[in-house]
């Protein structure tokens, strides 16, 4: 098992498949992009599958989430999913994506064994989408969402970040749209994960702001901590259900005490938190011929040293040393 000194057990593995992305979201990276990892530095498909195999069969991982960058840019994605689906025990598998490539890949991913998807969409307005992402691909995301639902990658969850002066007024419209299309909407407070370090605590749209806005049109009934478990999103029934809306308040209502995640970067490093400053190198051990037992030992030691929390409610926190695209969302 992967246990830390605070008694938390990691059962949820986030796997970044690439640091590359085909959008340039203002809260993630600069317009010109970043210096991408060189191909030899990236884990191969077989290395990724081997590490997931160790995590699932030896270390108690029950759920695997594929992330990026944009994971649909990984050429071997369908094959990776298919191999992980064949593991015993079989983990639950999901994918966090910007949705642009889902229209052409949703059916293949479902056939390979993927269970569901999370799609990032911050606005219903194409012009605002272009401003936020610096790309004119809004309709592609809508088409991808539809394809995911039709392929059975459900529940289809939509992740939205509200930004001051851009889309802060869209919360009620986004929820009405999600209910209409049977998507589960989750708002995420903007976190300090931009490569240009332009995030500021003052002025950000908080969970309280979002809920106040939603309640101008909807009746929200909180599900409570028992239903939430270790999930990062607090959830509310919308107009008595069955639809739900979630809010991930990483900054104003940190949930570090219940964290059950471990993260594998695209270049084979273990990170115990998005905001961790330390990494443990599994790639070097793999390529040096280490047996599974040695890799599992390195992983356990990394998780044992996990800190209590990121302290995002403190304006003096230290930002991570790598952008979100390099370590997985």
């Amino acid at each position: 098992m992967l246990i830390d000194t605070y008694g938390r057990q990691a059962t949820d593995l986030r796997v970044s498949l690439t640091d590359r992305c085909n959008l340039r979201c203002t809260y993630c990276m600069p317009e010109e992009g970043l210096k991408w990892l060189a191909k030899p530095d990236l884990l191969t498909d077989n290395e990724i599958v081997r590490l997931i195999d160790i995590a699932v069969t030896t270390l108690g991982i029950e759920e695997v989430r594929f992330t990026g960058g944009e994971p649909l840019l990984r050429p071997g994605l369908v094959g990776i999913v298919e191999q992980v689906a064949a593991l015993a025990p079989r983990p639950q598998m999901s994918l966090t994506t910007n949705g642009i490539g889902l229209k052409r890949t949703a059916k293949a991913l479902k056939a390979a064994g993927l269970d569901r998807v999370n799609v990032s969409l911050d606005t219903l307005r194409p012009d605002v989408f272009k401003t936020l992402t610096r790309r004119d691909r809004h309709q592609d995301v809508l088409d991808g969402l539809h394809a995911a639902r039709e392929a059975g990658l459900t529940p289809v969850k939509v992740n939205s970040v509200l930004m001051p002066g851009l889309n802060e007024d869209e919360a009620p419209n986004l929820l009405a749209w999600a209910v209409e299309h049977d998507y589960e909407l989750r708002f995420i407070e903007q976190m300090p994960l931009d490569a240009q370090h332009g995030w500021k605590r003052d002025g950000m749209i908080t969970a309280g702001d979002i809920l106040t806005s939603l309640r101008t049109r909807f009746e929200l009934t909180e599900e409570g901590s028992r239903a939430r478990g270790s999930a990062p999103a607090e959830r509310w029934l919308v107009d008595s259900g069955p639809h739900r809306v979630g809010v991930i308040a990483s900054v104003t209502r940190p949930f570090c005490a219940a964290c059950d995640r471990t993260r594998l970067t695209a270049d084979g490093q273990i990170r115990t938190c998005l905001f961790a400053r330390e990494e443990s190198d599994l790639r070097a051990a793999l390529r040096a011929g280490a047996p599974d037992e040695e890799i599992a030992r390195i992983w356990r030691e990394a998780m044992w040293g996990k800190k209590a929390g990121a302290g995002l409610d403190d304006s003096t926190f230290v930002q991570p040393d790598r952008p979100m695209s390099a370590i997985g969302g």
Side-chain angles (χ1 to χ4, degrees):
M1 294 189 294
L2 292 171
I3 301 176
D4 64 32
T5 55
Y6 297 92
R8 296 169 298 192
Q9 180 182 351
T11 58
D12 184 335
L13 171 61
R14 304 298 168 102
V15 181
S16 175
L17 298 179
T18 178
D19 59 331
R20 296 174 185 262
C21 189
N22 42 12
L23 297 180
R24 296 292 181 270
C25 297
T26 56
Y27 50 77
C28 184
M29 68 174 71
E31 186 170 6
E32 65 274 14
L34 300 166
K35 183 178 180 181
W36 309 121
L37 292 167
K39 188 173 181 179
D41 293 334
L42 292 169
L43 293 175
T44 66
D45 293 358
N46 287 338
E47 288 172 335
I48 290 170
V49 172
R50 182 183 170 196
L51 289 176
I52 295 174
D53 187 353
I54 294 170
V56 169
T57 61
T58 304
L59 297 174
I61 291 298
E62 299 171 357
E63 180 176 350
V64 176
R65 171 84 61 87
F66 297 108
T67 70
E70 174 44 54
L72 293 180
L73 295 179
R74 178 88 185 200
L77 172 60
V78 172
I80 291 172
V81 170
E82 192 169 37
Q83 291 182 74
V84 174
L87 296 177
R90 180 199 185 281
Q92 288 290 305
M93 284 186 292
S94 57
L95 178 82
T96 294
T97 172
N98 61 32
I100 287 176
L102 268 179
K103 183 178 179 179
R104 68 174 184 276
T105 57
K107 288 183 179 179
L109 287 168
K110 179 64 177 180
L114 191 70
D115 294 301
R116 63 173 189 82
V117 294
N118 286 29
V119 179
S120 299
L121 181 65
D122 304 318
T123 178
L124 299 177
R125 304 190 298 241
D127 58 323
V128 176
F129 181 92
K130 188 174 181 180
T131 299
L132 278 168
T133 67
R134 304 183 179 107
R135 298 290 187 270
D136 190 11
R137 306 296 298 272
H138 189 257
Q139 188 59 49
D140 292 325
V141 180
L142 296 180
D143 291 344
L145 280 161
H146 177 77
R149 189 185 62 204
E150 292 301 299
L153 293 170
T154 54
V156 176
K157 296 183 179 181
V158 177
N159 295 338
S160 296
V161 176
L162 299 183
M163 304 281 287
L166 286 172
N167 63 339
E168 61 186 309
D169 61 335
E170 286 199 64
N173 288 341
L174 280 164
L175 182 52
W177 166 83
V179 168
E180 178 186 356
H181 294 279
D182 200 24
Y183 303 139
E184 184 173 323
L185 180 63
R186 305 194 308 175
F187 292 99
I188 304 176
E189 287 183 337
Q190 185 195 0
M191 291 182 286
L193 294 168
D194 55 313
Q196 58 271 38
H197 289 189
W199 181 91
K200 292 202 177 357
R201 174 66 176 82
D202 294 340
M204 65 166 282
I205 310 301
T206 68
D209 297 330
I210 294 165
L211 292 169
T212 297
S213 179
L214 292 176
R215 286 184 169 120
T216 62
R217 284 175 58 182
F218 301 94
E219 178 186 341
L220 302 182
T221 305
E222 189 171 4
E223 283 195 325
S225 58
R226 180 173 294 182
R228 179 182 184 184
S230 61
E234 299 175 71
R235 298 198 307 179
W236 285 261
L237 290 173
V238 179
D239 292 338
S240 301
H243 293 95
R244 294 172 173 82
V245 63
V247 178
I248 300 177
S250 304
V251 178
T252 61
R253 304 179 189 177
F255 40 84
C256 301
C259 181
D260 65 349
R261 298 178 184 179
T262 182
R263 298 176 183 275
L264 178 64
T265 69
D267 55 349
Q269 310 301 306
I270 288 300
R271 290 180 74 97
T272 59
C273 172
L274 273 175
F275 295 89
R277 293 298 238 173
E278 303 83 19
E279 295 179 334
S280 298
D281 190 354
L282 295 186
R283 185 188 64 195
L286 273 175
R287 295 180 180 178
D292 289 359
E293 295 78 6
E294 173 63 11
I295 292 168
R297 182 193 65 78
I298 296 171
W299 207 328
R300 287 192 187 100
E301 287 187 359
M303 293 305 296
W304 186 251
K306 184 174 181 175
K307 291 182 170 55
L312 296 188
D313 53 345
D314 182 349
S315 61
T316 63
F317 70 89
V318 178
Q319 288 185 306
D321 54 347
R322 291 216 260 173
M324 184 164 59
S325 64
I327 58 181

